[in-house]
Amino acid sequence: MEKIIKRVNRVYHEGRQSDSPFRVRYNQKDFDILAISFTVQDKKRYFVIPVNNLPDKDSIYFKYNPKTGGIFWSPENIINKIKEVNFI
C-alpha cells in the first residue's frame, strides 16, 4: 500500500532570532509520514517522522542554531524519532 506523505517547507532568513522556533503544523493526522524540508541559503536539509510518533497536537517545533548548524526539536519525545535523510 502506498504511503501518504505530508510535506512542510521552512526557510531560514538571515537576521531571524535564533531563539525563535519554527512551527511545523500538520493539523489532522490523515497521513503516514511527515516530511520537512529546511532551507538555509542554498542548502536543503530533510527530515521525516512517522505519524504515529507525532504528539496529539497540531504542531511540532524546531530551533536552528546558525552558528553550529544544529537543529533542536520540540517536544523532546520526538528527538529520537525524527530522522534526517538525504532527500524526500
Side-chain angles (χ1 to χ4, degrees), residues 2-20:
E2 194 170 313
K3 301 265 185 193
I4 299 171
I5 299 173
K6 179 170 182 89
R7 298 176 193 278
V8 177
N9 303 308
R10 293 291 172 262
V11 177
Y12 174 78
H13 298 285
E14 289 291 326
R16 181 184 173 101
Q17 291 182 332
S18 61
D19 62 342
S20 179

Side-chain angles (χ1 to χ4, degrees), residues 68-85:
T68 66
I71 292 184
F72 307 94
W73 295 96
S74 176
E76 285 187 20
N77 65 337
I78 68 166
I79 292 171
N80 294 329
K81 310 261 190 304
I82 197 158
K83 302 292 180 207
E84 187 164 6
V85 295

Side-chain angles (χ1 to χ4, degrees), residues 2 4-5 18 30 37-38 51-53 67 70-71 74 86:
E2 194 170 313
I4 299 171
I5 299 173
S18 61
D30 54 355
S37 68
F38 180 56
V51 70
N52 60 336
N53 291 325
K67 293 179 182 175
I71 292 184
S74 176
N86 292 329

